[in-house]
Amino acid sequence: EVQLVESGGGLVRPGGSLRLSCAASAFSFSDYSMNWVRQTPGKGLEWAASISSSGSFIDYAASMRGRFTISRDNVKNSLSLRMSSLRAEDTAVYYCARRGHLGDSFDLWGQGTMVTVSS
Amino acid sequence: QSVLTQPPSVSGAPGQRVTISCTGSSSNIGAGYDVHWYQQFPGTAPKLLIFGNNNRPSGVPDRFSGSKSGTSASLAITGLQAEDEADYYCQSYDNSLSHVFGTGTNVIVL
């Protein structure tokens, strides 16, 4: 089955760090740009970071630049998001999403992993 | 925070037609970037509903349609069904902010 499965979420103190992972299966992972999108509780969607298919181009939302690091391993078919200097406002469900060949839409999403930043 | 504005909620009776607007600016929708729409049920991940302004992925019913004009876009649901009750988000690209989402709209089936 074509799918993305996130892991690594949990409770972390303000100022702490966390690493999220996303495992891809049943599609040619190295052909696609990948992204992290987050959703704060009861609120809307916010794009966080993207990485090109080869990993050579990376982009971040302004509020995450310098604190978050996106990376990928095209051999292991995995995507990662290293988050540091976490703040309460980073509390959200984090989704990995594939930017597919249907325009530049996000055509495949994982189930999400919850990150809670609290003391 | 969101640069694409949607109404918080729209409602309609079964069988009716409802539309959801997505208002942007000259740096995103008005700059010619495509608009995509996602459907999200509580506790689940978003699902691509419309891509490239007015195209449906395989498996999406034809009662869902999209359009774009100037700095805005719209999603229409014709023949509204109870199972369409969900949150809907538009998404585009912005010259300064990269990928941007709308504020989201809750569709209520009366």
Side-chain angles (χ1 to χ4, degrees), chain A residues 35 37 39 43-47 59 95 99 102-107 109-110, chain B residues 1 34 36 38 40 44-46 48 51 57 89 91 93 97-99 101 103:
Chain A
N35 297 260
V37 177
Q39 185 168 33
K43 298 270 181 80
L45 299 165
E46 180 183 22
W47 169 77
D59 194 15
Y95 296 100
R99 195 157 108 242
L102 301 180
D104 57 355
S105 62
F106 300 119
D107 69 345
W109 297 66
Chain B
Q1 190 171 6
D34 283 344
H36 318 293
Y38 303 87
Q40 186 180 33
T44 69
L48 180 64
F51 69 94
Y89 294 90
Q91 179 249 316
Y93 191 87
L97 303 173
S98 296
H99 304 284
F101 286 91
T103 49

Side-chain angles (χ1 to χ4, degrees), chain A residues 5 8 13 15-16 28 30 35 44 48 50 54 70 83 92-93 95 97 110 112 117:
Chain A
V5 179
R13 294 185 185 278
S28 182
S30 60
N35 297 260
S50 68
S54 66
I70 188 173
M83 305 183 294
V93 175
Y95 296 100
V117 183

Side-chain angles (χ1 to χ4, degrees), chain B residues 1-67:
Chain B
Q1 190 171 6
S2 298
V3 297
L4 303 180
T5 302
Q6 301 177 230
S9 66
V10 298
S11 61
Q16 286 189 329
R17 180 179 187 268
V18 297
T19 61
I20 302 169
S21 60
C22 173
T23 302
S25 69
S26 58
S27 65
N28 41 69
I29 297 175
Y33 295 111
D34 283 344
V35 177
H36 318 293
W37 292 88
Y38 303 87
Q39 178 188 57
Q40 186 180 33
F41 296 104
T44 69
K47 168 195 162 187
L48 180 64
L49 193 67
I50 296 287
F51 69 94
N53 306 315
N54 55 12
N55 301 286
R56 290 184 308 276
S58 174
V60 173
D62 60 6
R63 65 178 183 274
F64 294 95
S65 62
S67 63

Side-chain angles (χ1 to χ4, degrees), chain A residues 23-105:
Chain A
S25 55
F27 67 94
S28 182
F29 180 72
S30 60
D31 286 344
Y32 293 88
S33 168
M34 296 298 297
N35 297 260
W36 289 97
V37 177
R38 71 183 186 182
Q39 185 168 33
T40 51
K43 298 270 181 80
L45 299 165
E46 180 183 22
W47 169 77
S50 68
I51 185 167
S52 62
S53 57
S54 66
S56 59
F57 181 77
I58 288 172
D59 194 15
Y60 299 97
S63 62
M64 294 151 224
R65 194 171 292 125
R67 300 188 302 124
F68 289 13
T69 302
I70 188 173
S71 61
R72 67 188 296 159
D73 185 330
N74 284 346
V75 174
K76 296 182 178 179
N77 292 337
S78 67
L79 177 73
S80 296
L81 185 69
R82 173 72 177 174
M83 305 183 294
S84 60
S85 302
L86 284 163
R87 310 162 179 164
E89 53 265 35
D90 294 319
T91 294
V93 175
Y94 285 75
Y95 296 100
C96 66
R98 183 180 78 177
R99 195 157 108 242
H101 301 146
L102 301 180
D104 57 355
S105 62

